[in-house]
Amino acid sequence: MDLDVLYEIDVPKPWNGPHPHGQRTAEQRAYREAVEQIRLADRVGFRTVWAVEHHFREGRSHCPAPEVLLGHLAALTERIRLGFGVTLTPFGFTPPQRIAEKVAAVDVLSEGRVEWGTGRSTPMEQTAFGVDREQSRSDWREAIEIVTGMWREEYFAYESERFSFPRRMVTPKPVQGPHPPCWMAATSPGSAEVAGAAGLGLLSFSIMQPLDAMARQVAAYRAAARTPSPLTDVTTDRVSAYTLVHVADRPSRRVWDSVAWWYRNLAQFTLDWELPHLTPEERERTFPLLTPIIEGSVPVEEFSDGDMILIGDAETIVRKAKHYADLGIDQLICYVQWGYLEHREILRTIEILGKEVIPELASYKPRRTAP
């Protein structure tokens, strides 16, 4: 199993100063530190850095333009792959021709190191961009077909009920042939099967679920991926899953408080924007841990004991990470920059993961894999 890193560029409040300088100073520092951390991850052997595209998520995610961050990193790194985690693909967020252009440009600048994640986002972002939620799944699928066509063909033209594009040469073309590997973000029920059936890699971004729920998602993906109808020209059958990771021999109270802050922020966002259409019973089945978090009780010890988060010394991290490998995870995405962790602590985590954890996982043979 490989280790990746994920960056949302957390900038938690309170910011040090009134608007606008408090926010601006905090964001600029967060970006500078993230770049330094990712450069270290490149040097110590992480496989991929995934940069999100999120909009308007104050505090937790200040990274709306992953192509800018990844393009900057292309010149500053040598080996680490550069993952769009993800491009928001339904019509309204970004026209397909712009997705084709920006993903290919980063692939050129990085000499073929791009991983292309795709997704639909949530109602909060969709409504702000005028995205048709009811059409978002079909728009996502159609946009992927259009983007790969623009990469495949010298000149491309397209006409459908939802999208029209005159004959043009879309430039540049990606370095990787026929194009970068394509992934799908999976958070909602049934998404894993959609990704597997389409021949796409699975980006499992569901974090408020016990690991047995993740195991079921991986199993569903593997079953669907056995007989895919590929949506792109590159069939990918790898599974990535993300979680909070921090290396410390004796984690401080601030580390656990940061875990609680992160989960409360995510839980409130999920309730307000992702699950308002569900009944309480449906919500409980989908995210059984959501209710206690919303009510102010973040079961941090339960999360840690159940390996939902990886916090502890290097030996503890290795043991917990092997649990993910046993579930059939190919790439464990380490969310290392979160809450109120200090820059030096994050650098230490990345360094120890690279020197002590990555070699152990590279030689580990999983005891079992998802069927």
Side-chain angles (χ1 to χ4, degrees):
M1 184 175 70
D2 296 311
L3 290 191
D4 298 351
V5 284
L6 174 79
Y7 275 80
E8 298 202 50
I9 314 295
D10 278 14
V11 190
K13 290 182 175 180
W15 296 324
N16 187 21
H19 184 78
H21 301 294
Q23 178 182 351
R24 291 178 179 180
T25 299
E27 289 172 336
Q28 291 162 25
R29 177 181 177 180
Y31 268 89
R32 286 195 304 270
E33 292 178 349
V35 169
E36 184 178 348
Q37 293 160 18
I38 295 164
R39 294 183 72 181
L40 177 60
D42 173 51
R43 294 194 298 271
V44 300
F46 281 78
R47 183 184 190 276
T48 306
V49 52
W50 297 93
V52 306
E53 180 188 341
H54 279 316
H55 305 272
F56 325 122
R57 295 194 183 187
E58 60 182 273
R60 206 195 95 215
S61 182
H62 289 234
C63 185
E67 66 275 14
V68 177
L69 177 59
L70 296 177
H72 181 60
L73 290 169
L76 299 176
T77 58
E78 295 180 1
R79 293 174 297 276
I80 197 166
R81 295 188 65 78
L82 306 177
F84 286 82
V86 301
T87 61
L88 300 183
T89 313
F91 307 131
F93 282 121
T94 308
Q97 59 268 38
R98 288 292 295 121
I99 295 176
E101 291 167 343
K102 66 186 183 181
V103 174
V106 176
D107 204 44
V108 170
L109 291 171
S110 65
E111 299 180 338
R113 288 187 279 142
V114 161
E115 303 278 336
W116 178 39
T118 66
R120 296 184 294 146
S121 188
T122 62
M124 191 269 279
E125 293 174 322
Q126 292 170 340
T127 54
F129 281 87
V131 171
D132 186 335
R133 179 163 177 77
E134 297 302 318
Q135 292 282 343
S136 64
R137 175 62 64 79
S138 59
D139 284 354
W140 162 83
R141 176 179 291 272
E142 187 175 357
I144 291 174
E145 294 174 337
I146 293 168
V147 170
T148 55
M150 290 174 170
W151 287 334
R152 181 190 316 114
E153 299 177 21
E154 183 177 11
Y155 292 91
F156 183 85
Y158 188 86
E159 191 72 40
S160 77
E161 181 180 333
R162 298 286 294 168
F163 185 76
S164 178
F165 184 75
R167 185 176 183 271
R168 297 287 189 274
M169 176 185 285
V170 178
T171 64
K173 306 300 186 190
V175 171
Q176 297 177 83
H179 58 73
C182 187
W183 300 69
M184 172 184 164
T187 56
S188 58
S191 294
E193 293 94 325
V194 172
L200 307 177
L202 176 66
L203 290 170
S204 178
F205 287 155
S206 296
I207 199 168
M208 284 189 293
Q209 301 184 48
L211 289 195
D212 58 353
M214 179 183 294
R216 291 192 294 271
Q217 186 184 51
V218 174
Y221 172 81
R222 297 292 187 200
R226 281 197 285 267
T227 55
S229 299
L231 183 58
T232 74
D233 299 328
V234 179
T235 300
T236 303
D237 63 355
R238 293 179 68 85
V239 175
S240 292
Y242 90 132
T243 189
L244 305 184
V245 180
H246 184 68
V247 180
D249 294 338
R250 295 182 179 85
S252 67
R253 183 71 259 166
R254 179 170 42 79
V255 171
W256 300 116
D257 289 345
S258 291
V259 174
W261 170 86
W262 194 88
Y263 268 98
R264 281 195 299 269
N265 187 294
L266 177 60
Q268 192 63 55
F269 180 87
T270 301
L271 179 64
D272 291 343
W273 293 106
E274 296 189 39
L275 304 180
H277 58 291
L278 299 183
T279 66
E281 293 76 18
E282 292 172 328
R283 189 181 74 191
E284 189 66 24
R285 285 196 300 271
T286 304
F287 287 109
L289 299 174
L290 182 64
T291 299
I293 296 174
I294 291 296
E295 293 174 349
S297 175
V298 182
V300 173
E301 291 186 4
E302 180 181 334
F303 292 168
S304 183
D305 292 344
D307 297 344
M308 290 174 59
I309 55 179
L310 279 60
I311 296 176
D313 58 21
E315 183 179 352
T316 299
I317 300 295
V318 168
R319 173 175 52 80
K320 290 175 173 287
K322 286 178 178 178
H323 191 174
Y324 285 78
D326 291 341
L327 295 178
I329 304 301
D330 300 300
Q331 297 169 217
L332 180 60
I333 305 176
C334 302
Y335 198 144
V336 295
Q337 188 256 352
W338 42 273
Y340 300 98
L341 298 179
E342 296 180 358
H343 179 48
R344 59 178 177 80
E345 296 176 299
I346 299 169
L347 290 173
R348 181 176 181 273
T349 286
I350 293 170
E351 185 171 10
I352 293 175
L353 290 175
K355 291 181 177 179
E356 301 184 35
V357 178
I358 287 177
E360 287 285 335
L361 297 179
S363 61
Y364 177 66
K365 302 297 183 185
R367 296 177 182 177
R368 60 187 174 87
T369 58

